[in-house]
């Protein structure tokens, strides 16, 4: 004999998906009718008639549940496609502001890097997997920037724009910045960091060249006793 509790539990499990909420009342109603007819059949109908009624209602209910399950699967597939499209859009937008990507383990050792030529421009043929960024050979950092990054790692909070500088043969100084945020494991604990990196070599080179030019100008002005000012040629006013 069918138990109402078993039918109800199966209907509730199917109804956990939003797409089935509209159909849930009909499924529950069908289950109730099936149980009622099953009880009436045993009390008021001949055994062969009761069995036929029971079989027919069971088949109809099973068909309804099957249709409902198919609807759930179709809705789940639609959501998966939507999720994949959203992830792809996110990756495309991220690529606009990043040259390569990285991940570390819980001990902040590099576990994954992706970026091709951009990564090679900084790291060359170095083996960096299993190393922390500040342990990589031939890499230099601004101490204040590194201290701030380490503080963020200890606090398990995001960090931004740690500069990595490397001297590359035939290219000279190459500078990249990395930014990252914690990634959580299934237990909710920080299992490492993931983030992006950008090549800022040209930007830093221009900034340094400008700083040197200003320094030379300041030395020239100071050494020659000159005064630097602005003149409005059209009005003849200094």
């Amino acid at each position: 004999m069918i138990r109402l509790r078993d039918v109800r539990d199966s209907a509730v499990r199917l109804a956990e998906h939003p797409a089935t909420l509209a159909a849930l009342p009909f499924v529950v109603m069908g289950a109730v009718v099936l149980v009622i007819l099953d009880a009436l059949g045993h009390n008021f109908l001949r055994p062969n008639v009761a069995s036929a009624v029971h079989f027919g209602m069971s088949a109809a209910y099973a068909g309804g549940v099957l249709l409902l399950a198919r609807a759930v699967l179709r809705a789940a597939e639609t959501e998966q496609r939507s999720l994949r499209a959203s992830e792809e859009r996110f990756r495309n937008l991220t690529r606009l502001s990043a040259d390569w990507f990285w991940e570390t383990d819980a001990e902040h050792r590099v576990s994954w890097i992706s970026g091709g030529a951009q990564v090679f421009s900084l790291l060359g043929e170095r083996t960096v997997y299993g190393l922390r960024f500040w342990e990589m050979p031939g890499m230099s950092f601004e101490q204040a920037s590194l201290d701030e990054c380490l503080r963020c790692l200890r606090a398990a909070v995001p960090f931004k724009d740690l500069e990595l500088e490397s001297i590359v043969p035939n290219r000279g100084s190459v500078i990249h910045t990395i930014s990252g945020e914690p990634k959580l494991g299934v237990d909710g604990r920080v299992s490492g960091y993931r983030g992006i990196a950008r090549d800022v070599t040209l930007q830093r080179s221009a900034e340094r060249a400008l700083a040197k030019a200003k320094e030379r100008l300041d030395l020239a002005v100071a050494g020659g006793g000159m005064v630097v000012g602005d003149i409005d040629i059209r009005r003849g006013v200094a």
Side-chain angles (χ1 to χ4, degrees), residues 11 33 52 55 57 59 66 102 104 109 115 133 139 151-152 154 160 170-171 180 186 198 201 207 209 216 222 237-238:
V33 171
F55 177 79
M57 292 300 298
L66 179 59
W102 56 269
T104 61
R109 296 171 297 206
F133 282 110
M139 204 71 64
R151 184 194 68 79
C152 292
R154 289 192 295 268
K160 187 176 182 181
N170 302 322
R171 285 198 59 190
V186 294
R198 295 186 300 121
T201 303
E207 291 171 352
R216 288 195 296 268
V237 177

Side-chain angles (χ1 to χ4, degrees), residues 73-89:
L73 290 176
R74 285 196 296 269
E77 290 172 355
T78 300
E79 287 190 359
Q80 285 293 328
R81 288 194 295 269
S82 177
L83 179 60
R84 285 194 293 268
S86 297
E87 291 175 345
E88 182 64 24
R89 285 194 296 271

Side-chain angles (χ1 to χ4, degrees), residues 143-207:
Q143 191 59 47
S145 180
L146 178 58
D147 290 343
E148 175 62 16
C149 174
L150 295 177
R151 184 194 68 79
C152 292
L153 295 180
R154 289 192 295 268
V157 297
F159 69 90
K160 187 176 182 181
D161 293 339
L162 172 64
E163 287 197 4
L164 295 73
E165 182 171 5
S166 176
I167 305 300
V168 178
N170 302 322
R171 285 198 59 190
S173 176
V174 175
I175 305 173
H176 288 203
T177 61
I178 61 172
S179 301
E181 62 181 16
K183 58 179 183 178
L184 302 180
V186 294
D187 58 357
R189 298 181 180 180
V190 175
S191 60
Y193 270 68
R194 63 165 58 95
I196 63 173
R198 295 186 300 121
D199 185 347
V200 296
T201 303
L202 294 179
Q203 178 183 341
R204 293 294 182 268
S205 297
E207 291 171 352

Side-chain angles (χ1 to χ4, degrees), residues 1-87:
M1 183 174 179
I2 297 175
R3 294 183 301 176
L4 178 60
R5 183 182 61 185
D6 295 336
V7 176
R8 180 198 60 197
D9 290 345
S10 64
V12 170
R13 282 195 297 271
L14 285 171
E16 290 178 349
H17 195 283
T20 68
L21 291 178
L24 180 58
F26 299 99
V27 174
V28 175
M29 185 181 300
V32 172
V33 171
L34 178 60
V35 172
I36 293 174
L37 289 177
D38 187 61
L40 292 175
H42 281 81
N43 294 323
F44 300 103
L45 299 177
R46 294 192 302 274
N48 59 336
V49 176
S51 297
V53 170
H54 176 75
F55 177 79
M57 292 300 298
S58 297
Y61 179 73
V65 172
L66 179 59
L67 291 175
L68 186 60
R70 288 178 176 174
V72 171
L73 290 176
R74 285 196 296 269
E77 290 172 355
T78 300
E79 287 190 359
Q80 285 293 328
R81 288 194 295 269
S82 177
L83 179 60
R84 285 194 293 268
S86 297
E87 291 175 345

Side-chain angles (χ1 to χ4, degrees), residues 101-123:
F101 306 87
W102 56 269
E103 286 189 3
T104 61
D105 61 18
E107 301 298 324
H108 307 305
R109 296 171 297 206
V110 174
S111 58
W112 176 78
I113 287 180
S114 176
Q118 294 289 353
V119 178
F120 187 81
S121 70
L122 175 72
L123 303 178

